[in-house]
Every structure is written in structure tokens, then in C-alpha cells.
Amino acid sequence: MAATAAVAIHQFAECITCHAWSPDQSMIAFCPNNNEVHIYKFFTDKWEKLHVLSKHDQIVSGIDWSRSSNKIVTVSHDRNSYVWTQEGSDWIPTLVILKLNRAALCVQWSPKENKFAVGSGAKSVCVCYYEQENNWWISKVIRKRHESSVTSLAWHPNNIYLATTSTDGKCRVFSTFIKGVDTRGSQSSTSTDSKFGEQIAQLDLSSTWVFGVRWSASGKTLAYAGHNSMIYFVDEVESAPAAQNLALRDLPLRDVLFVSERTVIGVGFDCNPMIFAADETGLWSFVGFLDERKATPSTSKASQLSEALGKLYGQSKQGTSSDSVEPSKPRGGAHENCITCIVPLTKGRDGTIKRFSTSGLDGKIVVWDLENHITVAK
């Protein structure tokens, strides 16, 4: 058994906004907290920079790399989105017409990769699709539903429903059925009967900003995180929603990932992935932290409290002046600053996710292996 679940730690930059992997996981694309996207490839024993995608004017806030079509979609605070297609050794950008007057904040390809969704600070969601006749990507916009910025997106496995979270504290589910792009299924599901932009559900469980929405692989359960150190689990969203609120004693989460139907990994301001699991009755609970750390006396709650009080009254323990800034202490784990992004990597034969990666404000991308570390409930 490995000593830690973190099997690879790569320091790529001073700070990383978001990241995504190529379909074969030989390359990684990330934004080093600026207007560029860097693509690295692993050669024998080290990562080497292959490409820099530099079409955006402001910070790149979202990246997604499609698995079957090998296209990269990026969004930025400059209100633009590009779809990048590899031609030979170059990546060629195609502008997406978003019609936004505020920053684009997040992006995700749909499961069938015939659409992608963009969340924005304009209180709207753009659902983009390719128009063959004009050779461009155009968008249909879900407007007047959100009361504030859209912080995250998640596609339901049916390729029609889209879940969003917002800084208005609500999680919503919309239909994104587009005639000519989506086909009406013969199943008994009502997903193809709803019109584009129709609100399927609104979950008003949090009084604070909410982030990191995800569906389970079956689409039966939805999870998202609140900035009040809460995580929310909702079953049967489209018919009779049954919600569970789980309060954390630690810092808030920023993103979540279902590794199986009954196991969730949450990441955020604690810099350490948190494991949540549901029992046979469907009751969710916090299991523990994934990154095993040895607590040092200097990082105990008591010393942290006394240090904070010392700063408050202008007298740190070392007796330095009150306006000096103490360097942050290393936290002793794989990540040393807030984790903002979690991406699934490999699945086992039973369909559960065995490996995933995280990136954060410390500029690291960490690959985690769950094998031999936790028992993943299916």
C-alpha cells in the first residue's frame, strides 16, 4: 500500500485557475492564472510544454477537453469562448458567438459532445452548438432565471438536463433541448418533451454562494457545495426532490466529484480532499480526509487561535510590528492552498472512478489514487 493517496504532484505554475486532460491523458491543459492556456505532454520522466494557446485577453476561467472529438473549449473573463481543434501540430481556434456583456466563468462539454454550456457573470447560461452551414459555433441563451453569477455547470447523463449553481444561493436544473441538435428519444423519460430553457427544478437550500455542482453517473443524485461550509445531496431532482444538508466543521468546498453512486470527493479551502459516503439507507456522512497528514504542535487549534488573537491585537508571537505579513506556513499536505478544480481520470471495471486530479491556487496539479486507500461504496 502506498503511503499516501497522492501518487503524483506537479508544480506547473505559481497559481492554476483550472485544468483538463487529453482523451488519452498523455497531455494536460491548464491556465496559469493569466490569459493563456498551457499544454504539457509527459515524456519518459518529465513534463514538457508543447503549446501555448493565447487568443484570450483576460484570465481563462474554464477549460474542457472533449474525450471523443479531441476539441478543447476555453472561456475567459474577456466574455469570449474558443473551440480549439488540432490540425497537425497546431491548435486552431474558432470563435464562439456568446453575446455576453459580463465575464464567462465556467464551461463544460455535454456527454455526447454535440453541445457545451457556458456560465457567466451576466446571470445567464449559453448553450452552444455547431452550425454546419455557416461553419461556426452559435449559442442559445437561458436568461432571466438566475439572480446572480453562474459559478458552475453539470450535464445530466441524458445530454438534455443542465444543472447550475449561482451566487444567488440557488441550484437550478434546466432543459437544453435544441431542435436539430438533440433527438427526441423513444424512452419514457420526459427530458425530451421539455422546451429549451424550461426550468425543471430550483433548489433553494443555501443562503450563501453555491459552487461545484455534479450529477452521479446514473443521474439520480445531484450534489453541490455552499460557501457556508455545507454540502447538499439531492435525489430524484426532476420528480420528487429529496434533499440532505450536511454541515462541515471545516472550511468550505469549491468543487465535488462522484467517484461512485454512493461516494463523493469534495475539495476546497481546506486544501485536502474530503470523502463523503452514503449508507444503505441513502444517508450521507463525512468519512474523513484523503490526504493523511501528521499534525504538528504549531498547527494545533490552540496555537492558531492565539496567533489569530495576537494579530488582531497587533502583537504577533515574535513581537514584530502589527503591519508585517507573516509567510503562510506549509500545511504538510499535497496542496498548500485552496483546491479549485477536480477532474476524473480512470475508471475501474465496476464503473467507479479510481483516479482523479486536482489543481489549486498553489500552482500544483495532484493525481490521486483511491485504490487501497478508501473502500468506494458502489
Side-chain angles (χ1 to χ4, degrees), residues 72-142:
I72 300 173
V73 61
T74 58
V75 296
S76 164
H77 289 181
D78 63 11
R79 311 189 303 279
N80 288 326
S81 172
Y82 291 95
V83 174
W84 303 79
T85 308
Q86 192 169 21
E87 295 182 8
S89 60
D90 296 323
W91 286 91
I92 309 301
T94 305
L95 179 65
V96 184
I97 301 166
L98 290 182
K99 299 174 276 192
L100 290 177
N101 62 358
R102 295 288 187 277
L105 300 176
C106 49
V107 65
Q108 193 177 55
W109 285 103
S110 69
K112 291 182 180 176
E113 297 176 10
N114 58 348
K115 302 181 287 188
F116 62 87
V118 178
S120 76
K123 309 179 187 178
S124 61
V125 175
C126 303
V127 180
C128 309
Y129 59 97
Y130 188 67
E131 202 173 63
Q132 200 78 42
E133 303 84 57
N134 296 313
N135 188 29
W136 61 9
W137 291 83
I138 61 173
S139 63
K140 292 189 75 169
V141 186
I142 300 173

Side-chain angles (χ1 to χ4, degrees), residues 8-10 12 16 19 21 28 30 357-359 363-367:
I9 303 173
H10 308 293
F12 283 112
I16 289 177
H19 76 283
W21 293 84
I28 189 165
F30 64 87
S357 64
T358 56
S359 64
K364 292 178 182 176
I365 292 177
V366 180
V367 177

Side-chain angles (χ1 to χ4, degrees), residues 105-358:
L105 300 176
C106 49
V107 65
Q108 193 177 55
W109 285 103
S110 69
K112 291 182 180 176
E113 297 176 10
N114 58 348
K115 302 181 287 188
F116 62 87
V118 178
S120 76
K123 309 179 187 178
S124 61
V125 175
C126 303
V127 180
C128 309
Y129 59 97
Y130 188 67
E131 202 173 63
Q132 200 78 42
E133 303 84 57
N134 296 313
N135 188 29
W136 61 9
W137 291 83
I138 61 173
S139 63
K140 292 189 75 169
V141 186
I142 300 173
R143 288 192 179 93
K144 298 180 180 177
R145 296 291 190 173
H146 301 89
E147 295 164 27
S148 192
S149 299
V150 178
T151 56
S152 69
L153 306 158
W155 286 95
H156 189 280
N158 67 15
N159 205 66
I160 304 293
Y161 289 160
L162 179 71
T164 67
T165 55
S166 170
T167 47
D168 63 11
K170 297 177 179 66
C171 176
R172 298 172 175 88
V173 179
F174 298 98
S175 168
T176 66
F177 185 87
I178 299 174
K179 194 175 180 181
V181 177
D182 298 299
T183 53
R184 296 198 179 273
S186 57
Q187 312 105 317
S188 58
S189 171
T190 58
S191 63
T192 54
D193 296 335
S194 49
K195 297 176 183 176
F196 178 86
E198 183 179 328
Q199 187 168 288
I200 308 300
Q202 177 174 298
L203 305 167
D204 195 2
L205 303 176
S206 177
S207 58
T208 60
W209 296 356
V210 283
F211 299 97
V213 64
R214 291 285 175 111
W215 294 93
S216 64
S218 68
K220 290 181 180 176
T221 308
L222 186 70
Y224 64 99
H227 209 49
N228 54 350
S229 288
M230 298 273 280
I231 184 168
Y232 306 94
F233 301 95
V234 187
D235 294 320
E236 309 296 340
V237 174
E238 60 180 294
S239 51
Q244 290 181 50
N245 305 353
L246 190 59
L248 313 177
R249 66 178 186 182
D250 299 287
L251 299 178
L253 299 173
R254 278 298 306 270
D255 205 358
V256 301
L257 175 69
F258 278 90
V259 292
S260 74
E261 287 294 319
R262 286 170 44 206
T263 309
V264 163
I265 305 292
V267 296
F269 290 93
D270 255 304
C271 319
N272 193 341
M274 301 171 80
I275 307 160
F276 303 91
D279 59 18
E280 291 79 8
T281 64
L283 190 66
W284 289 88
S285 60
F286 171 60
V287 176
F289 286 101
L290 184 59
D291 198 6
E292 298 157 9
R293 297 174 182 170
K294 293 177 182 177
T296 57
S298 62
T299 57
S300 67
K301 295 285 183 191
S303 67
Q304 284 177 359
L305 179 62
S306 62
E307 192 175 335
L309 287 171
K311 286 180 182 175
L312 180 65
Y313 292 110
Q315 48 186 15
S316 60
K317 287 191 294 185
Q318 286 80 10
T320 55
S321 62
S322 60
D323 58 352
S324 66
V325 179
E326 293 182 26
S328 59
K329 295 182 176 65
R331 303 177 70 95
H335 277 290
E336 294 179 10
N337 207 332
C338 175
I339 304 171
T340 55
C341 183
I342 180 168
V343 177
L345 286 174
T346 54
K347 285 185 178 180
R349 291 179 182 175
D350 56 0
T352 62
I353 292 170
K354 300 296 185 188
R355 280 194 175 205
F356 63 87
S357 64
T358 56

